[in-house]
Amino acid sequence: MSQRAEADTVAVDVKDGIAWVKFNRPEKRNCMSPKLNRQMLRVINELEFRDEVGVLVLTGEGAAWSAGMDLKEYFRETEAQGLKGVRHSQREAYAWWERLRWYQKVTIAMVNGWCFGGAYGPLFACDLAFCSEDAQFGLSEINWGILPGGGASKVAVELMPMRKAMYHALLGETLTGKQAEAAGLVNEALPAERLEGRVTEVAQKLLKKNRETLKATKDAVRHVREMTYDNAEDYLIRAQEALNWHDRSDGRHHGMNQFLDDKTYKPGLSEYDKSK
Ligand code: ACO
């Protein structure tokens, strides 16, 4: 096919509180070109504060989730423009991964197929990750003569124990979905035909919870990883106090009242009813 227009490199469908966002270059195994990176930032920015969006799912059209960076358009063509071209295209990619790491809504990677190299950036950026058992994951950088950059080495050590991360980076072998689950790259690997159903089920559970609390919780989990225990303890006190102010629904008092006074639910077993 002829070159895909920038606006067509990402597909979006918002349904029942879930924004389904797709890498949409199946003919190129959804590898990330500068056009796709620009369009993805536009799309996720536009969705972030829409009230009808509670959860964002990032998946891929066709056989791939994403085959990493586009070797032609992201590397060869920008390198031909010199340092300015290289830095510019790096910033476009990193910008949307960063936006996603600190996104206002919970994000889920639904890895339907190939996931290589640079794709570990958005994989890590998503709060949760589910994959099909026949998906394949690889740090293939070693196979074509570069190191796992763009955050990929960091993602490997964040998600995997050191020995597994080192083997993964040095050998450039692929992991199956089940192996990726065992290594910690994803929450769960499922048969392909059950993947979307499971992700929808998880998203629906999240939709029932207090949105402000979800955002405070996901940020807390990411932030405390790099803090000392004392700093984390202090940060969490302040984050909860900020949440008390941000949560205009006053969720924690509804949560307490429905348990202690109304006795309509048990917090150990489910969430309070937001609609009351
Ligand atoms: N960059 C540029 N083009 C790509 C990429 C990529 N990362 N991945 C796939 N394509 C293109 C192919 O060149 C091919 O284009 P063409 O039709 O114009 O020839 C098209 O997508 C289809 O790819 P095939 O290789 O024919 O698809 P196949 O299903 O046989 O294999 C696979 C899929 C295994 C994903 C293979 O395409 C591949 O190895 N891609 C590269 C994966 C990779 O190493 N990515 C870089 C990681 S490192 C980083 O991101 C920094």
Side-chain angles (χ1 to χ4, degrees):
M1 89 179 257
S2 60
Q3 273 268 357
R4 196 175 270 274
E6 188 161 312
D8 296 333
T9 56
V10 177
V12 194
D13 182 24
V14 177
K15 207 171 152 217
D16 301 329
I18 307 170
W20 299 88
V21 177
K22 278 187 176 176
F23 293 105
N24 194 33
R25 298 180 76 208
E27 68 283 358
K28 296 288 180 186
R29 303 304 178 261
N30 297 326
C31 64
M32 289 175 271
S33 61
K35 282 182 185 171
L36 183 144
N37 290 328
R38 285 193 290 270
Q39 184 60 18
M40 195 61 95
L41 182 61
R42 244 177 244 127
V43 165
I44 64 175
N45 273 339
E46 196 276 324
L47 292 166
E48 188 169 17
F49 291 98
R50 269 168 63 179
D51 286 342
E52 72 270 34
V53 175
V55 174
L56 183 147
V57 176
L58 181 60
T59 187
E61 182 63 43
W65 192 64
S66 170
M69 308 321 291
D70 186 321
L71 270 62
K72 177 170 173 283
E73 295 183 38
Y74 180 84
F75 285 107
R76 183 189 278 169
E77 290 177 5
T78 60
E79 280 162 18
Q81 298 162 26
L83 186 63
K84 185 177 168 193
V86 170
R87 289 286 180 269
H88 193 74
S89 62
Q90 285 168 337
R91 284 174 195 155
E92 287 172 337
Y94 302 168
W96 77 264
W97 304 346
E98 186 198 13
R99 188 86 294 283
L100 216 49
R101 283 199 302 280
W102 303 105
Y103 207 62
Q104 187 66 29
K105 311 290 171 59
V106 177
T107 55
I108 305 177
M110 184 171 94
V111 183
N112 51 301
W114 304 110
C115 177
F116 284 110
Y120 281 37
L123 177 71
F124 179 68
C126 288
D127 303 314
L128 300 171
F130 296 82
C131 73
S132 71
E133 285 174 355
D134 52 16
Q136 294 205 49
F137 296 75
L139 286 181
S140 56
E141 285 88 339
I142 193 77
N143 295 337
W144 66 279
I146 69 163
L147 61 76
S153 298
K154 176 70 172 158
V155 174
V157 295
E158 283 285 313
L159 298 181
M160 297 172 162
M162 167 71 173
R163 293 284 177 222
K164 282 189 193 289
M166 189 66 89
Y167 186 95
H168 195 53
L170 290 179
L171 275 295
E173 296 172 356
T174 55
L175 298 175
T176 64
K178 275 288 173 202
Q179 289 169 329
E181 177 190 279
L185 286 176
V186 296
N187 293 91
E188 281 173 45
L190 301 118
E193 65 279 8
R194 287 186 39 221
L195 179 62
E196 189 173 324
R198 175 68 179 135
V199 168
T200 305
E201 178 186 77
V202 172
Q204 284 168 346
K205 287 186 185 185
L206 291 164
L207 289 172
K208 289 190 187 154
K209 300 192 190 288
N210 180 316
R211 280 188 188 179
E212 296 294 345
T213 311
L214 286 172
K215 166 65 172 155
T217 302
K218 57 180 253 178
D219 285 2
V221 170
R222 282 189 193 267
H223 277 307
V224 297
R225 302 196 75 228
E226 294 177 1
M227 292 180 190
T228 62
Y229 193 96
D230 284 341
N231 286 345
E233 201 174 61
D234 187 56
Y235 161 82
L236 292 168
I237 288 171
R238 281 158 222 299
Q240 179 59 52
E241 288 168 359
L243 174 60
N244 295 347
W245 189 83
H246 272 294
D247 181 15
R248 295 308 166 103
S249 73
D250 197 19
R252 64 197 288 269
H253 285 119
H254 289 292
M256 269 190 265
N257 296 344
Q258 290 179 23
F259 176 53
L260 298 176
D261 306 325
D262 307 342
K263 301 198 181 298
T264 48
Y265 86 115
K266 294 183 192 296
L269 303 178
S270 69
E271 65 281 316
Y272 73 91
D273 186 346
K274 280 196 299 184
S275 67
K276 288 190 182 146

